[in-house]
Amino acid sequence: MVIDAPILADAMVKGYIAPHRLSMRVRRGDWKPLRHQRYMSWRIAESVPSGNAREIFNLGPRWGKSEGLCVDTPTWFLENWPHKNVIMATSTVDLSRQWGERVRDVFRDSDVLQTKLKEDSTAKDTWRTTAGGGMKCVSVGKS
């Protein structure tokens, strides 16, 4: 498939191409991804749209994995496909609520994103978009 250059350029500017590009736009220049964060983001952007994506990122603590994978990626996904659903599984109930709240708040507080939350979406771990998609955060363990 060939994409017209102006359409591609517009998508790049709006951040629809990859999670880190959208995050840079939402954060209005307050964050600049490092090389390894851009790499993870491009891998996600290449594998997720085709379906059945399987990616493993092994990095030490404080390298930006959680923010990129638990906040930026679901935000990017639901901005591109607001009618679809995201499920996030974490090790504890507290983590699932924390990450669900962070993503929900990005949609609630951003004037850049076109995807909007349903008005009754106030829960931290389960919420919906106006297009019928949403996010469900679960844990495999206890809090």
Side-chain angles (χ1 to χ4, degrees), residues 84-137:
K84 294 197 173 195
N85 293 295
V86 172
I87 187 164
M88 182 182 302
T90 65
S91 59
T92 67
V93 172
D94 290 340
L95 276 177
S96 68
R97 288 183 182 144
Q98 174 189 6
W99 292 121
E101 179 181 28
R102 293 275 304 279
V103 178
R104 183 203 64 195
D105 290 351
V106 169
F107 282 104
R108 185 191 67 201
D109 299 338
S110 176
D111 57 352
V112 172
L113 300 175
Q114 294 180 4
T115 300
K116 302 299 178 201
L117 297 176
K118 286 184 73 174
E119 288 194 25
D120 62 350
S121 289
T122 58
K124 295 177 182 180
D125 56 352
T126 304
W127 45 267
R128 311 291 302 160
T129 68
T130 55
M135 188 165 180
K136 172 79 174 164
C137 301

Side-chain angles (χ1 to χ4, degrees), residues 12-141:
M12 263 307 238
V13 168
K14 290 182 178 171
Y16 297 129
I17 297 294
H20 76 281
R21 300 288 301 181
L22 183 61
S23 185
M24 289 169 58
R25 188 162 178 254
V26 168
R27 295 176 189 173
R28 301 186 187 280
D30 289 342
W31 173 76
K32 184 176 180 187
L34 299 172
R35 185 171 59 176
H36 69 280
Q37 293 166 317
R38 290 190 309 268
Y39 173 80
M40 289 189 318
S41 180
W42 284 122
R43 291 294 307 230
I44 291 164
E46 290 173 359
S47 62
V48 167
S50 61
N52 294 323
R54 303 286 188 265
E55 299 287 344
I56 297 174
F57 300 104
N58 291 313
L59 295 167
R62 310 295 304 160
W63 281 74
K65 297 180 307 293
S66 296
E67 188 75 21
L69 299 173
C70 298
V71 178
D72 298 343
T73 298
T75 302
W76 167 79
F77 184 85
L78 289 169
E79 180 68 2
N80 281 289
W81 300 280
H83 60 285
K84 294 197 173 195
N85 293 295
V86 172
I87 187 164
M88 182 182 302
T90 65
S91 59
T92 67
V93 172
D94 290 340
L95 276 177
S96 68
R97 288 183 182 144
Q98 174 189 6
W99 292 121
E101 179 181 28
R102 293 275 304 279
V103 178
R104 183 203 64 195
D105 290 351
V106 169
F107 282 104
R108 185 191 67 201
D109 299 338
S110 176
D111 57 352
V112 172
L113 300 175
Q114 294 180 4
T115 300
K116 302 299 178 201
L117 297 176
K118 286 184 73 174
E119 288 194 25
D120 62 350
S121 289
T122 58
K124 295 177 182 180
D125 56 352
T126 304
W127 45 267
R128 311 291 302 160
T129 68
T130 55
M135 188 165 180
K136 172 79 174 164
C137 301
V138 297
S139 67
V140 294

